[in-house]
Amino acid sequence: MKSPKTRVIVGLQWGDEGKGKISYLLCRGADAAVRFQGGGNAGHTVLVEGRRLKFNILPAGSAAGARPVIGSGCVIDLSRLLHELKLLRSTNPSVKPVISPSSHIVLNIHRELDAEVEAAREDSIGTTRMGIGPAYSDKCLRLGLRVSDILDPKAAAARLKTLERFHRRSVSEPLSSRAEEIAEYVEDVPAYLSRLVRHGGRVVFEGAQGTLLDIDYGTYPYVTSSNTIAGAACTGSGVPPSFVGEVVGVMKAYTTRVGAGPFPTELGGSDAERIRSAGAEYGTTTGRPRRVGWLDIPALRYACMLNGVSWLAVTKLDILSGMEEVRVCTRYEMDGSELKQMPTESRILERVRPVYEVFRGWKASEEDWRRAAKIGWDELPPTSREYLEAIEEMTGVLVGLVSVGESVGYEVCRTDTSA
Ligand code: IMP
């Protein structure tokens, strides 16, 4: 089957599934890579030819040569954006991003408020403190400063006056100089993408965070402040649903979570330590140690349903190598009854007890993984294939790609990943 013209990449867990690498792979030969939600809270890393590239606001897929696009659903920290552009130019000097005039700007006010709201809460969320929630709340209050505003000093001054009066604090960002630096890239994103897709261009939409952090469908209030599911690719970049060809669901071979909130399959003790250290499970953006746990099938099924996942990309399978047995939560129990579906109400999810199926572990050396990446699926350790096949059976979705290392090049593809 020919690969579709557009793909939406989403995380199926609580973020950090490895979307950066998958986006890079799917963006080779693509025309545009689009971020449609979130901001500097995301940390998408790609390791190519020994070079580690870390993106917070630009799509990681732009490192593969696709034109970076930032849609109106994003909130932008301009200094971070300019820094990442500089980095990207060191590998691709002619890169020209497309920035939506309707995307909102994250200001120092928002970062300050993020920390203050966290301190005031009874139930701290453990945000990245990048000002994401306050920036989105100003957007909804219709107080936010948009990219288009800073291109017009008069409009910016009026908007800033209200914003500063409302928040009773001042904005301390060099907005006019930053506006000058980005002005040439500001373009109508829906019109650009519409033209591109109608002329046969290939577009990859790169989701940030994960489904269970979605503001509406995640484990509220322990979520981020945007919609992270595939549907948000449309609202956050202004393309119609009919443009979406395929939805690629990225999931880690186990589960992690940063910050507070329910996590039914969370592990403690030596198993957690082992996985955290083997998988380098520390936040890309904040450096915080990630909470670690077994795979959670009810949660994955829920995420597949919400996103309409076409195929799964399973990452970090190699991290579980060497474990005697690997557990998978197949259902929950609560108050003596069985729950097959994931309750998303945090108060309820906190009370469920995971019921596990035990799988035989696998052991493979670096060399074994390299061979599997070269030859294909049948070269994967047989018990790891049993694990993957069980995931397919329990989610009802095909595993199209397995990633077995951080570097680009270490992956087993079962589907056409070309752009
Ligand atoms: P915020 O997005 O900074 O407001 O943080 C809200 C919650 O989402 C916190 O639990 C964060 O740890 C989590 N979060 C935000 N971005 C990411 C991400 O890119 N990966 C994993 N967790 C994230």
Side-chain angles (χ1 to χ4, degrees), residues 14-16 41-43 125-128 209 213 223-224 258-259 288:
W14 278 288
D16 306 315
N41 49 350
I125 289 166
T127 71
T128 58
Q209 291 81 46
L213 288 173
V223 292
T224 190
V258 206
R288 292 179 287 177

PDB file of all heavy atoms in Angstrom, residues 14-16 41-43 125-128 209 213 223-224 258-259 288, ligand 1:
ATOM      1  N   TRP A  14       1.610   8.763  28.743  1.00  0.00           N
ATOM      2  CA  TRP A  14       1.711  10.075  29.409  1.00  0.00           C
ATOM      3  C   TRP A  14       2.878  10.883  28.864  1.00  0.00           C
ATOM      4  O   TRP A  14       3.578  11.568  29.610  1.00  0.00           O
ATOM      5  CB  TRP A  14       1.854   9.871  30.922  1.00  0.00           C
ATOM      6  CG  TRP A  14       0.566   9.629  31.623  1.00  0.00           C
ATOM      7  CD1 TRP A  14      -0.419  10.559  31.863  1.00  0.00           C
ATOM      8  CD2 TRP A  14       0.102   8.400  32.210  1.00  0.00           C
ATOM      9  NE1 TRP A  14      -1.454   9.966  32.556  1.00  0.00           N
ATOM     10  CE2 TRP A  14      -1.162   8.660  32.792  1.00  0.00           C
ATOM     11  CE3 TRP A  14       0.641   7.119  32.308  1.00  0.00           C
ATOM     12  CZ2 TRP A  14      -1.894   7.686  33.450  1.00  0.00           C
ATOM     13  CZ3 TRP A  14      -0.093   6.151  32.960  1.00  0.00           C
ATOM     14  CH2 TRP A  14      -1.342   6.432  33.525  1.00  0.00           C
ATOM     15  N   GLY A  15       3.135  10.800  27.586  1.00  0.00           N
ATOM     16  CA  GLY A  15       4.241  11.543  26.982  1.00  0.00           C
ATOM     17  C   GLY A  15       5.540  10.756  27.072  1.00  0.00           C
ATOM     18  O   GLY A  15       5.582   9.661  27.659  1.00  0.00           O
ATOM     19  N   ASP A  16       6.580  11.294  26.454  1.00  0.00           N
ATOM     20  CA  ASP A  16       7.915  10.673  26.466  1.00  0.00           C
ATOM     21  C   ASP A  16       7.920   9.285  25.842  1.00  0.00           C
ATOM     22  O   ASP A  16       8.686   8.409  26.260  1.00  0.00           O
ATOM     23  CB  ASP A  16       8.476  10.591  27.905  1.00  0.00           C
ATOM     24  CG  ASP A  16       8.460  11.932  28.585  1.00  0.00           C
ATOM     25  OD1 ASP A  16       8.859  12.907  27.931  1.00  0.00           O
ATOM     26  OD2 ASP A  16       8.041  12.010  29.754  1.00  0.00           O
ATOM     27  N   ASN A  41       7.098  22.808  26.751  1.00  0.00           N
ATOM     28  CA  ASN A  41       7.001  21.684  27.698  1.00  0.00           C
ATOM     29  C   ASN A  41       7.387  20.363  27.045  1.00  0.00           C
ATOM     30  O   ASN A  41       7.752  19.406  27.713  1.00  0.00           O
ATOM     31  CB  ASN A  41       5.586  21.595  28.301  1.00  0.00           C
ATOM     32  CG  ASN A  41       4.475  21.648  27.271  1.00  0.00           C
ATOM     33  OD1 ASN A  41       4.715  21.935  26.105  1.00  0.00           O
ATOM     34  ND2 ASN A  41       3.253  21.393  27.706  1.00  0.00           N
ATOM     35  N   ALA A  42       7.290  20.286  25.733  1.00  0.00           N
ATOM     36  CA  ALA A  42       7.639  19.057  25.013  1.00  0.00           C
ATOM     37  C   ALA A  42       9.154  18.937  24.917  1.00  0.00           C
ATOM     38  O   ALA A  42       9.864  19.936  24.891  1.00  0.00           O
ATOM     39  CB  ALA A  42       7.047  19.096  23.618  1.00  0.00           C
ATOM     40  N   GLY A  43       9.630  17.703  24.880  1.00  0.00           N
ATOM     41  CA  GLY A  43      11.063  17.504  24.690  1.00  0.00           C
ATOM     42  C   GLY A  43      11.247  16.371  23.705  1.00  0.00           C
ATOM     43  O   GLY A  43      11.118  15.211  24.065  1.00  0.00           O
ATOM     44  N   ILE A 125       0.477  19.597  40.340  1.00  0.00           N
ATOM     45  CA  ILE A 125       0.482  18.758  39.142  1.00  0.00           C
ATOM     46  C   ILE A 125       1.896  18.326  38.782  1.00  0.00           C
ATOM     47  O   ILE A 125       2.108  17.263  38.204  1.00  0.00           O
ATOM     48  CB  ILE A 125      -0.188  19.549  37.998  1.00  0.00           C
ATOM     49  CG1 ILE A 125      -1.685  19.626  38.299  1.00  0.00           C
ATOM     50  CG2 ILE A 125       0.039  18.919  36.638  1.00  0.00           C
ATOM     51  CD1 ILE A 125      -2.427  20.610  37.477  1.00  0.00           C
ATOM     52  N   GLY A 126       2.853  19.151  39.164  1.00  0.00           N
ATOM     53  CA  GLY A 126       4.232  18.868  38.750  1.00  0.00           C
ATOM     54  C   GLY A 126       4.425  19.315  37.315  1.00  0.00           C
ATOM     55  O   GLY A 126       4.927  18.559  36.480  1.00  0.00           O
ATOM     56  N   THR A 127       4.004  20.544  37.012  1.00  0.00           N
ATOM     57  CA  THR A 127       4.130  21.041  35.635  1.00  0.00           C
ATOM     58  C   THR A 127       5.606  21.244  35.289  1.00  0.00           C
ATOM     59  O   THR A 127       6.466  21.225  36.181  1.00  0.00           O
ATOM     60  CB  THR A 127       3.416  22.404  35.428  1.00  0.00           C
ATOM     61  OG1 THR A 127       4.162  23.403  36.113  1.00  0.00           O
ATOM     62  CG2 THR A 127       1.979  22.375  35.919  1.00  0.00           C
ATOM     63  N   THR A 128       5.857  21.505  34.026  1.00  0.00           N
ATOM     64  CA  THR A 128       7.233  21.757  33.594  1.00  0.00           C
ATOM     65  C   THR A 128       7.661  23.197  33.931  1.00  0.00           C
ATOM     66  O   THR A 128       8.793  23.569  33.701  1.00  0.00           O
ATOM     67  CB  THR A 128       7.364  21.560  32.072  1.00  0.00           C
ATOM     68  OG1 THR A 128       6.446  22.462  31.440  1.00  0.00           O
ATOM     69  CG2 THR A 128       7.050  20.135  31.653  1.00  0.00           C
ATOM     70  N   GLN A 209       3.433  15.735  24.094  1.00  0.00           N
ATOM     71  CA  GLN A 209       2.871  15.088  25.284  1.00  0.00           C
ATOM     72  C   GLN A 209       2.205  13.764  24.869  1.00  0.00           C
ATOM     73  O   GLN A 209       2.619  13.172  23.896  1.00  0.00           O
ATOM     74  CB  GLN A 209       1.889  16.002  26.029  1.00  0.00           C
ATOM     75  CG  GLN A 209       2.555  17.199  26.719  1.00  0.00           C
ATOM     76  CD  GLN A 209       2.837  18.354  25.791  1.00  0.00           C
ATOM     77  OE1 GLN A 209       1.996  18.751  25.007  1.00  0.00           O
ATOM     78  NE2 GLN A 209       4.018  18.905  25.878  1.00  0.00           N
ATOM     79  N   LEU A 213      -2.456  12.844  28.833  1.00  0.00           N
ATOM     80  CA  LEU A 213      -2.249  14.201  29.349  1.00  0.00           C
ATOM     81  C   LEU A 213      -3.179  15.194  28.649  1.00  0.00           C
ATOM     82  O   LEU A 213      -3.067  16.404  28.843  1.00  0.00           O
ATOM     83  CB  LEU A 213      -0.790  14.636  29.139  1.00  0.00           C
ATOM     84  CG  LEU A 213       0.275  13.972  30.020  1.00  0.00           C
ATOM     85  CD1 LEU A 213       1.676  14.377  29.560  1.00  0.00           C
ATOM     86  CD2 LEU A 213       0.085  14.339  31.495  1.00  0.00           C
ATOM     87  N   VAL A 223      -2.928  16.849  33.967  1.00  0.00           N
ATOM     88  CA  VAL A 223      -2.817  16.840  32.505  1.00  0.00           C
ATOM     89  C   VAL A 223      -2.099  18.108  32.057  1.00  0.00           C
ATOM     90  O   VAL A 223      -1.824  18.986  32.872  1.00  0.00           O
ATOM     91  CB  VAL A 223      -4.232  16.796  31.858  1.00  0.00           C
ATOM     92  CG1 VAL A 223      -4.906  15.464  32.122  1.00  0.00           C
ATOM     93  CG2 VAL A 223      -5.108  17.938  32.356  1.00  0.00           C
ATOM     94  N   THR A 224      -1.848  18.211  30.780  1.00  0.00           N
ATOM     95  CA  THR A 224      -1.308  19.468  30.262  1.00  0.00           C
ATOM     96  C   THR A 224      -2.494  20.348  29.835  1.00  0.00           C
ATOM     97  O   THR A 224      -3.651  19.963  30.014  1.00  0.00           O
ATOM     98  CB  THR A 224      -0.289  19.206  29.127  1.00  0.00           C
ATOM     99  OG1 THR A 224       0.364  20.446  28.835  1.00  0.00           O
ATOM    100  CG2 THR A 224      -0.933  18.659  27.862  1.00  0.00           C
ATOM    101  N   VAL A 258       5.748  11.605  34.122  1.00  0.00           N
ATOM    102  CA  VAL A 258       6.458  12.634  34.897  1.00  0.00           C
ATOM    103  C   VAL A 258       5.402  13.492  35.554  1.00  0.00           C
ATOM    104  O   VAL A 258       4.400  13.813  34.930  1.00  0.00           O
ATOM    105  CB  VAL A 258       7.296  13.600  34.019  1.00  0.00           C
ATOM    106  CG1 VAL A 258       8.439  14.193  34.809  1.00  0.00           C
ATOM    107  CG2 VAL A 258       7.795  12.955  32.777  1.00  0.00           C
ATOM    108  N   GLY A 259       5.631  13.894  36.766  1.00  0.00           N
ATOM    109  CA  GLY A 259       4.652  14.721  37.456  1.00  0.00           C
ATOM    110  C   GLY A 259       3.656  13.848  38.199  1.00  0.00           C
ATOM    111  O   GLY A 259       3.731  12.615  38.166  1.00  0.00           O
ATOM    112  N   ARG A 288      13.750  15.757  35.491  1.00  0.00           N
ATOM    113  CA  ARG A 288      13.170  15.018  36.625  1.00  0.00           C
ATOM    114  C   ARG A 288      13.163  13.518  36.344  1.00  0.00           C
ATOM    115  O   ARG A 288      12.909  13.098  35.209  1.00  0.00           O
ATOM    116  CB  ARG A 288      11.709  15.446  36.840  1.00  0.00           C
ATOM    117  CG  ARG A 288      11.551  16.864  37.316  1.00  0.00           C
ATOM    118  CD  ARG A 288      10.089  17.209  37.478  1.00  0.00           C
ATOM    119  NE  ARG A 288       9.418  17.386  36.193  1.00  0.00           N
ATOM    120  CZ  ARG A 288       8.121  17.642  36.057  1.00  0.00           C
ATOM    121  NH1 ARG A 288       7.349  17.711  37.106  1.00  0.00           N
ATOM    122  NH2 ARG A 288       7.597  17.803  34.857  1.00  0.00           N
TER     123      ARG A 288
HETATM  124  P1  IMP B   1       2.632  21.419  31.767  1.00  0.00           P
HETATM  125  O1  IMP B   1       2.350  20.921  30.404  1.00  0.00           O
HETATM  126  O2  IMP B   1       3.993  22.026  31.934  1.00  0.00           O
HETATM  127  O3  IMP B   1       1.538  22.329  32.282  1.00  0.00           O
HETATM  128  O4  IMP B   1       2.627  20.150  32.763  1.00  0.00           O
HETATM  129  C1  IMP B   1       1.445  19.414  33.037  1.00  0.00           C
HETATM  130  C2  IMP B   1       1.749  17.926  33.173  1.00  0.00           C
HETATM  131  O5  IMP B   1       2.124  17.412  31.912  1.00  0.00           O
HETATM  132  C3  IMP B   1       2.901  17.595  34.134  1.00  0.00           C
HETATM  133  O6  IMP B   1       2.622  16.356  34.756  1.00  0.00           O
HETATM  134  C4  IMP B   1       4.090  17.437  33.191  1.00  0.00           C
HETATM  135  O7  IMP B   1       5.080  16.602  33.737  1.00  0.00           O
HETATM  136  C5  IMP B   1       3.412  16.795  31.998  1.00  0.00           C
HETATM  137  N1  IMP B   1       4.103  17.059  30.734  1.00  0.00           N
HETATM  138  C6  IMP B   1       4.088  18.187  30.003  1.00  0.00           C
HETATM  139  N2  IMP B   1       4.817  18.041  28.879  1.00  0.00           N
HETATM  140  C7  IMP B   1       5.294  16.792  28.909  1.00  0.00           C
HETATM  141  C8  IMP B   1       6.095  16.038  27.995  1.00  0.00           C
HETATM  142  O8  IMP B   1       6.505  16.498  26.929  1.00  0.00           O
HETATM  143  N3  IMP B   1       6.371  14.764  28.376  1.00  0.00           N
HETATM  144  C9  IMP B   1       5.907  14.216  29.513  1.00  0.00           C
HETATM  145  N4  IMP B   1       5.144  14.866  30.379  1.00  0.00           N
HETATM  146  C10 IMP B   1       4.839  16.149  30.081  1.00  0.00           C
END
